[in-house]
Amino acid sequence: MAKTVADVMTSHPATVEADQPVSVAAALMRDNDAGAVIVNDNGRMRGIITDRDITVRVVAADKTPETPVREACSPYVEAVGPDTSIDQAVQLMRSHAVRRLPVVEDGRAVGIVSLGDLALERDPNSALADISAAEGNQ
């Protein structure tokens, strides 16, 4: 059984620089079959942008696809280190009502752990684990 976030995280998450347009982030989501992309500022993690962020902060706000990622991303992000325990990650997600946690080492994103990743680890027979394990879901 996995003990740390490093055991269940997705390594090498997709990243985008904060000054790039949201269209680049959206293309990365499409190409990586992911719902979130790590936002960097000169290679250091600054935040995260999700498909929901693009929908609410760009499309619904009548902004263009050229809107800089920094204007649409969530800048205050809970993050964990690779050695964070699974239980600690679950607690952070629960207390901050988030579905994803960037995994950061020395200021750089080395992975991302999702609610689905943790569901698969903690209760592989749950409905959430079944959905998360289905091909094409990330």
Side-chain angles (χ1 to χ4, degrees):
M1 181 185 267
K3 296 194 185 263
T4 67
V5 167
D7 298 327
V8 297
M9 72 181 187
T10 298
S11 298
H12 311 291
T15 62
V16 64
E17 284 292 320
D19 60 350
Q20 290 185 287
V22 294
S23 59
V24 171
L28 282 167
M29 288 177 201
R30 178 198 61 215
D31 296 346
N32 290 281
D33 192 26
V37 174
I38 302 292
V39 178
N40 287 332
D41 194 0
N42 294 316
R44 313 252 328 146
M45 195 195 78
R46 174 194 169 113
I48 191 168
I49 187 164
T50 67
D51 45 8
R52 186 176 190 285
D53 291 331
I54 293 171
T55 301
V56 172
R57 297 179 181 156
V58 179
V59 177
D62 245 357
K63 294 182 178 179
T64 73
E66 294 307 308
T67 300
V69 168
R70 76 168 40 86
E71 291 182 25
C73 73
S74 301
Y76 305 106
V77 177
E78 292 301 317
V80 295
D83 59 345
T84 301
S85 75
I86 298 291
D87 289 339
Q88 288 173 306
V90 169
Q91 270 307 110
L92 264 176
M93 286 180 163
R94 189 176 281 147
S95 65
H96 294 281
V98 296
R99 297 176 186 186
R100 298 170 186 93
L101 294 170
V103 182
V104 178
E105 200 166 42
D106 298 324
R108 299 192 186 280
V110 296
I112 191 163
V113 64
S114 71
L115 186 59
D117 296 331
L118 297 176
L120 279 166
E121 176 57 32
R122 304 242 357 234
D123 186 2
N125 297 316
S126 71
L128 180 57
D130 286 345
I131 293 166
S132 296
E135 194 170 315
N137 288 328
Q138 293 264 358

